[in-house]
Amino acid sequence: MANPPHDTMPPTLSSQYDPHAIEQMLFDSWMAGHYFEQDAAESKATGQASYVVSIPPPNVTGSLHMGHALNNTIQDALIRYHRMAGRPTRWVLGTDHAGIATQNKVEQKLAKEGKTRFDVGRDRFIELCWEWRDEYGSTIVEQLKRMGCSCDYTHEWFTMDEHYQKAVRTTFVEWFERGLIYRGNRIINWCPRCTTALSDIEVEHEDADGSLWHIRYELDEPTTLPDGTTMTHAVVATTRPETMLGDVAIAVHPSDKRYKGLVGTTATLPLVGRKLTIVADEYVDPEFGTGMVKITPAHDANDFEIGERHQLEQVKVLTDTGTIVDEEPYAAYAGLDRYEARKAIVRDLEAGGYLVEIEEHAHAVGHCYRCHTIIEPYLSEQWFVDMKPLAAPAIEAVRDGRVKIHPQRWEQVYFHWMENIRDWCISRQLWWGHRIPVFYCDACDEMMASMTDITVCPKCDGPVRQDEDVLDTWFSSQLWPFATLGWPDDTPELDYFYPTSTLSTARDILFLWVARMIMSSMDLLDGKIPFSDVIIHPTVFNKEGKRMSKSLGTGVDPLDLMADYGADAMRFGLMLQVTGVQDLKFDDEKLLSSRNFANKIWNASRFVLMNIEDGASALPDSAHPTSLANLSIADRWILSRLANLTETVTRGLEAFQFGEVARALYEFFWSEFCDWYIEFAKGRLQGDDSADRAQVQQTLVFVLDNALRLLHPFMPFLTDEIWKTLPREAHDEALAQSIMVAPWPNAAEFTHLIDPDAEHAIERIKAVVTAARAVRARYGLSPRTELTAMVNASKTDAELLGKNTALITSLGRLESLAAYEGLEKPAQASVTVAAGLEIYIPLDALVDFDAERTKLEKERTKTATDLERYERKLANEGFLAKAAPEIIEKDRAIAAELTEVLTRIDEQLTELG
RNA sequence: GCGCGAUUAGCUCAGUUGGUAGAGCACUUGCUCGACACGCAAGGGGUCACAAGUUCAAGUCUUGUAUCGCGCACCA
């Protein structure tokens, strides 16, 4: 029986690839198989090094966006690769309590009932936050499952878990006791909508068109200046006229000769009547404006510092919600919002003749990164971390390569920030979060940080109260990689899985999160780094290159994409676009190609399966060819390409070059395996030579098997579904359970498959086939038209072609093939010169001399241009003297070949007349 | 102001120690032949932003210019 029956196709692979028919079932089978879980103690006993990824914990308020889709595909690809490569892996999963974001959501919910958090009270409000988390917190985890992410779902963390709270509190108390955490009354960034302090890096600056109001402040005593003129008033400029209510001084530069006599005198603040001292301070730029600056210590960070230097009063004129305080002598503005107050004050200044000029002025305005409200520099008592001592070792760890950041250019961004690091404001005036474990005794003024809640002052037995504030969410996030492994306790997980391996994240949290993890880990865990590699992945923008935004409707929902294309196609499409340099302008088109690719893999697999039905090739995993001697040239070629692919993919994953890996997989599977090898295989599968048929079947299965493994980290569902249908011998049944536990193809074990001779040979075979197809296309000949190919080739090439006549005639749809050295051009034939061959396709009366001439002339031009370049190069003495010998040799060979090609083309042209 | 990145085919982008410019989509032409029309085959299309420099040799290295994008820091 020469042909296997075609109606016994395995029922498991339907004729059309439908991702939705397989994804959920496969995921359930992975969970049931516990493939995502690795026990720390058992793994340690194997003596193997672990591979661990801590997921950047998504906010409980969040849902999956394109950045998550990209980042989690990267992490899953790495985890799956290392798992197959035999390392005990864990992908640590969890979510972040997201203080401000969650509090805002719950407040919005309350607002719909007409309530504020103050109506329900602190305890109830926190309960509501937990309820929110219980309701929505699992959304994103379910979405990760949908993507096929192989996280350890049996150990899911939350940054407000009891154990996590212990880690946070331990950190606070330790740093407090070492004096790294301190309290201070300073200007911080205040969000008047969230009514909380923010750290410097939680403020987003945006350029805005504003105005510069020039205001006239009357001097109390007219003063004669060094230039002889008499000055009666000062003119100061401000972008924030409403803060003038809090002015306490005017500053000039100490070396500004113009105003020498002025320092020490006073002026009167319009509308308020306060006496302003004129002080000299280096901060003032004499070149800017009039060289005179109004000083508002309570509402501007620079003014605050000037105020400190000159012991100036701090007059707060704004409340925590950004309205004017109800105090004399400006009670007229009391309760006005800062922008209403601005209008009113400008109006009153103008009416009083104090407004000199309004100038247009562009400047950067800070916004809250959570609600986008304009930030107010605000004087208040807050907790800070002294960062310099923490930063120093963390700088060193990146400097000496213990922690590597990819792409490497981000390291200098890291250094720049770390070397100029400022103290971190960690207190937040919120309710949802880790409450600051500091207790105050009102009786004796004692202040203490404590691991346990205390109610009685240990010093004086007086009543104590806990600090009302909570910690910055990032204070807890910074502990993520080690707190999620059990720190501060000594656990087997911390022992075996820490430090973790790779952290993949978006660039906008390099400072907020990544740098702080390095700092806290090194400080709290005896200098241990939290991870050895940091991947800063591209930012996903929309098609127009704009930031994706849910509120603007410019976002793309990964769930929609998976519904349209399948999870594998979305993953592969994203990986295709990861280059390490460019950000990613997301376009569905790439997913369409990837969906088509998935379908291609599916159908090529169907082809293989339906052609091994005669049972000759149930292939054990160990069956990879050890001897190439008996293999056909096509088999040797595809195995050589597979060996090459294995090397490329493995190296690429190790170097985080995901785009390169994806392209290599695509190219190999589609252009080499499907377009050529499977086509070569077809004739052999239908031939009478049963030994050859067995050989091609084995090779098909072997290559498909390994290609699926290499594809698996990017396309987990599809590859596993196909994997399960591959024939196996009985002892390989464990392997058949899932491709997830199949060993990663070992490039070192494939080196013997690399076969330059076979690659050379296939190049010649392809040239003949392509020439025949091209003639057919050029002449518009139907596939049924019978053609013959006659090839003038070197002796070895001619022999090679002769041996593979069947392959060539089959793919080129040729009647026959003749190849020998010195073959003369038949009359009325089309000519192709390629791969060192002269290929003639006799056309009899069909031949179109003009068309042939046009084609040959075009080839001649190209060849002549190329040859000229090489000849020039080879005539250059400098080149001959300095270029590497192998380059010269190679170029000589190319030049010789081009010369020959040109000669042949010219001969053909002469003949055509 | 300081720093980073980009500029390659109509579009979106690859191009890893400097050595004959690539892919996907789009376009043209022809194909129901038993894996796949989510396909097959054959084609067309590029002074690698510009200018100097280094080099035997530059898309690739250096410097400068232009345009776009992004950080950081901001003088009221």
Side-chain angles (χ1 to χ4, degrees), chain A residues 146 157 481 486 499 694 717:
Chain A
R146 178 88 177 71
W157 286 81
F717 293 111

Side-chain angles (χ1 to χ4, degrees), chain A residues 429-684:
Chain A
Q429 288 64 48
L430 304 172
W431 287 350
W432 176 237
H434 298 270
R435 191 155 170 186
I436 291 178
V438 169
F439 298 84
Y440 306 95
C441 173
D442 290 326
C444 71
D445 276 349
E446 180 68 8
M447 173 173 87
M448 62 227 111
S450 169
M451 280 306 291
T452 52
D453 290 353
I454 43 181
T455 50
V456 180
C457 178
K459 280 235 170 121
C460 71
D461 288 341
V464 299
R465 56 186 170 80
Q466 184 171 2
D467 196 293
E468 292 293 320
D469 290 349
V470 301
L471 289 163
D472 181 2
T473 302
W474 298 104
F475 189 89
S476 53
S477 312
Q478 70 174 335
L479 313 176
W480 183 253
F482 43 97
T484 55
L485 293 173
W487 186 88
D489 297 343
D490 283 324
T491 61
E493 283 77 17
L494 196 63
D495 175 49
Y496 181 66
F497 289 129
Y498 201 77
T500 71
S501 311
T502 309
L503 181 91
S504 178
T505 190
R507 61 162 172 261
D508 50 357
I509 53 176
L510 180 61
F511 307 144
L512 281 167
W513 191 48
V514 179
R516 287 167 176 168
M517 284 190 284
I518 301 174
M519 290 188 277
S520 61
S521 175
M522 295 187 74
D523 185 74
L524 297 164
L525 285 90
D526 300 323
K528 270 192 191 162
I529 55 168
F531 30 70
S532 46
D533 292 277
V534 177
I535 298 172
I536 304 289
H537 66 68
T539 303
V540 184
F541 294 104
N542 67 14
K543 206 171 173 177
E544 284 73 42
K546 297 270 163 39
R547 193 165 283 278
M548 285 195 179
S549 156
K550 210 189 279 178
S551 53
L552 295 175
T554 53
V556 177
D557 186 344
L559 291 174
D560 293 342
L561 295 175
M562 286 191 278
D564 290 347
Y565 304 103
D568 287 324
M570 182 186 76
R571 293 168 57 122
F572 196 83
L574 285 169
M575 289 302 94
L576 269 174
Q577 298 175 75
V578 177
T579 66
V581 185
Q582 292 254 89
D583 281 327
L584 194 153
K585 273 188 266 184
F586 182 77
D587 193 339
D588 281 29
E589 183 202 278
K590 286 281 193 307
L591 300 202
L592 195 63
S593 318
S594 301
R595 197 273 317 262
N596 295 350
F597 181 47
N599 187 56
K600 191 76 179 175
I601 296 168
W602 183 267
N603 279 294
S605 304
R606 284 178 62 227
F607 173 84
V608 173
L609 289 165
M610 70 176 62
N611 281 290
I612 52 177
E613 281 303 294
D614 51 357
S617 25
L619 191 78
D621 179 56
S622 56
H624 73 73
T626 49
S627 165
L628 299 175
N630 299 323
L631 294 178
S632 81
I633 203 77
D635 298 331
R636 285 165 53 196
W637 169 73
I638 197 67
L639 291 170
S640 182
R641 300 309 301 153
L642 175 68
N644 178 276
L645 177 74
T646 305
E647 165 72 20
T648 302
V649 170
T650 306
R651 193 165 24 84
L653 287 172
E654 291 288 346
F656 312 121
Q657 291 169 346
F658 303 100
E660 191 194 1
V661 170
R663 276 186 296 277
L665 288 164
Y666 187 98
E667 165 76 15
F668 171 82
F669 200 93
W670 199 317
S671 307
E672 295 183 326
F673 185 57
C674 292
D675 287 351
W676 288 100
Y677 186 73
I678 284 182
E679 295 306 318
F680 286 143
K682 282 178 180 170
R684 297 167 64 195

